Amino acid sequence: MKNCFNLLLWAIFVCAAMGACNRSGEISDTPTSGTMKISVDESFAPIIDSHVYTFQKLYKYAKVNAAYKPEGEVMKDLLQDSARLVIVARQLTPTEMQVFEKIKITPRVTKVAIDGVALIVHPENTDTLLAIPQLKDIFTGKTTSWKKINAKSALDDITIVFDNSNSSTARYVIDSINQKQPLPAKAFAAKSNPELVDYVANNRNAIGVIGVNWISDFDDSTAIGFLKKIKVVAVGRNINPAAPDTYYQPFQGYLAEGTYPLRRNLYIISREARAGLGTGFASFVAGDKGQRIFLKSGLVPATMPIRLVNIRE
């Protein structure tokens, strides 16, 4: 009897120790509880903040610590296992996939929304219709003055400003507009999206490149404040000043139907090998509640249909 009692005490001790280990160890989280660090492209900070806040409200035992960084640093976090899950505007490159193949991990990639890259200018700038060929000339340094865009312009040399030199918006311009040609040496980074907006608002010759979600939510005081300071450029695929209705601003409907040219997809990439908190958060963002947050913010949810209404005068 004494031996049985001792065995029972030992079993209780082992179970208690294992429970403590689970509470403090790396595998203590579940899809709806625990603590996790994620790394997020800083151009999506407003919208992902909303997702994190709502997820934690729904699941009070879940804590998601989101670090907002330039895209290059976000991908470094994923590859170096500093973040279990990242949110970025591109998929993995072949070189990045090779890193995971070597360590025998198959990352899960989930498309969660359609976003866009917006171009903003000073309120006094009257040249708010720009076509892709014109943008390519600006962003490769071929066109350096607003007077070359419009001979009657009262503005002078063009100043190009990004949120960060290693940002996804800078990469997008190089890849999709410049066709891999580099940016001009005079292009510079403002260190953050709010600083970018302030710079454009205070410099008549500036053109800024910013993620659409910073200016798309008309219920958000920050977005409304930004829109009061600047103008948003309408972008066309071809130079055709006689047909201004072929230029589009990055409104949700134009993103959805593909008429706004500067679109990009938003992805969650997870290296989580089990059903932990990363899986739970990714499922939430890709699910009904998460997709409704994208819809409300002015982006296009990946899994929820958008109703487009044409209004004719």
Side-chain angles (χ1 to χ4, degrees):
M1 181 68 70
K2 184 177 180 180
N3 287 338
C4 290
F5 181 76
N6 288 338
L7 286 173
L8 179 60
L9 287 177
W10 176 251
I12 293 172
F13 172 79
V14 170
C15 288
M18 290 179 66
C21 180
N22 286 338
R23 284 193 297 272
S24 62
E26 293 183 357
I27 61 171
S28 61
D29 62 283
T30 73
T32 57
S33 68
T35 300
M36 175 187 65
K37 174 187 173 184
I38 67 173
S39 196
V40 183
D41 178 343
E42 61 190 358
S43 67
F44 298 103
I47 186 65
I48 300 305
D49 260 349
S50 296
H51 281 88
V52 170
Y53 174 81
T54 305
F55 182 76
Q56 292 179 156
K57 280 289 186 182
L58 289 171
Y59 305 106
K60 62 180 181 179
Y61 297 113
K63 178 65 176 176
V64 178
N65 296 314
Y68 298 102
K69 304 179 180 182
E71 181 185 78
E73 293 181 26
V74 170
M75 297 309 296
K76 187 183 297 183
D77 284 347
L78 181 69
L79 295 171
Q80 296 179 350
D81 200 15
S82 296
R84 199 189 307 173
L85 177 150
V86 300
I87 303 177
V88 288
R90 67 171 178 85
Q91 298 201 50
L92 294 166
T93 66
T95 301
E96 291 164 345
M97 282 299 300
Q98 288 176 3
V99 173
F100 288 109
E101 288 170 3
K102 288 180 180 178
I103 57 178
K104 301 188 184 311
I105 289 179
T106 303
R108 291 193 296 275
V109 181
T110 306
K111 177 182 171 182
V112 293
I114 300 172
D115 175 51
V117 171
L119 306 175
I120 58 175
V121 294
H122 190 274
E124 294 180 12
N125 193 332
T126 59
D127 296 308
T128 56
L129 302 180
L130 295 174
I132 295 295
Q134 293 171 309
L135 294 174
K136 183 178 180 181
D137 286 347
I138 290 172
F139 289 122
T140 57
K142 183 177 179 180
T143 295
T144 59
S145 173
W146 288 107
K147 287 183 170 56
K148 191 168 182 180
I149 300 291
N150 175 9
K152 297 180 181 180
S153 176
L155 306 181
D156 298 310
D157 291 346
I158 298 171
T159 303
I160 302 168
V161 58
F162 293 89
D163 54 339
N164 190 288
S165 58
N166 200 22
S167 71
S168 61
T169 52
R171 177 191 55 77
Y172 180 90
V173 168
I174 292 171
D175 290 349
S176 301
I177 298 178
N178 289 10
Q179 301 298 308
K180 304 298 184 180
Q181 294 183 53
L183 296 166
K186 291 184 178 180
F188 76 98
K191 298 182 180 179
S192 72
N193 286 282
E195 287 185 37
L196 183 156
V197 173
D198 285 340
Y199 183 89
V200 173
N202 292 306
N203 292 271
R204 297 197 316 156
N205 296 311
I207 181 168
V209 186
I210 192 170
V212 165
N213 82 115
W214 283 91
I215 57 172
S216 61
D217 189 346
F218 297 115
D219 292 326
D220 180 71
S221 59
T222 300
I224 293 171
F226 284 169
L227 289 169
K228 290 179 179 179
K229 296 179 178 181
I230 49 85
K231 284 182 180 178
V232 180
V233 173
V235 180
R237 298 186 185 278
N238 302 299
I239 301 174
N240 187 8
D245 58 348
T246 60
Y247 292 79
Y248 301 92
Q249 288 190 322
F251 296 138
Q252 190 173 55
Y254 297 145
L255 288 171
E257 65 184 14
T259 46
Y260 182 71
L262 307 182
R263 301 197 318 160
R264 58 181 183 172
N265 295 327
L266 181 60
Y267 301 95
I268 289 180
I269 305 177
S270 173
R271 59 179 292 153
E272 191 172 70
R274 59 187 179 80
L277 189 56
T279 301
F281 183 69
S283 298
F284 166 78
V285 176
D288 181 70
K289 289 184 174 64
Q291 293 291 285
R292 288 182 184 278
I293 293 174
F294 285 120
L295 184 66
K296 180 260 179 192
S297 74
L299 300 190
V300 180
T303 62
M304 181 180 291
I306 296 288
R307 183 186 178 192
L308 300 178
V309 179
N310 291 322
I311 300 176
R312 296 182 179 179
E313 295 181 357

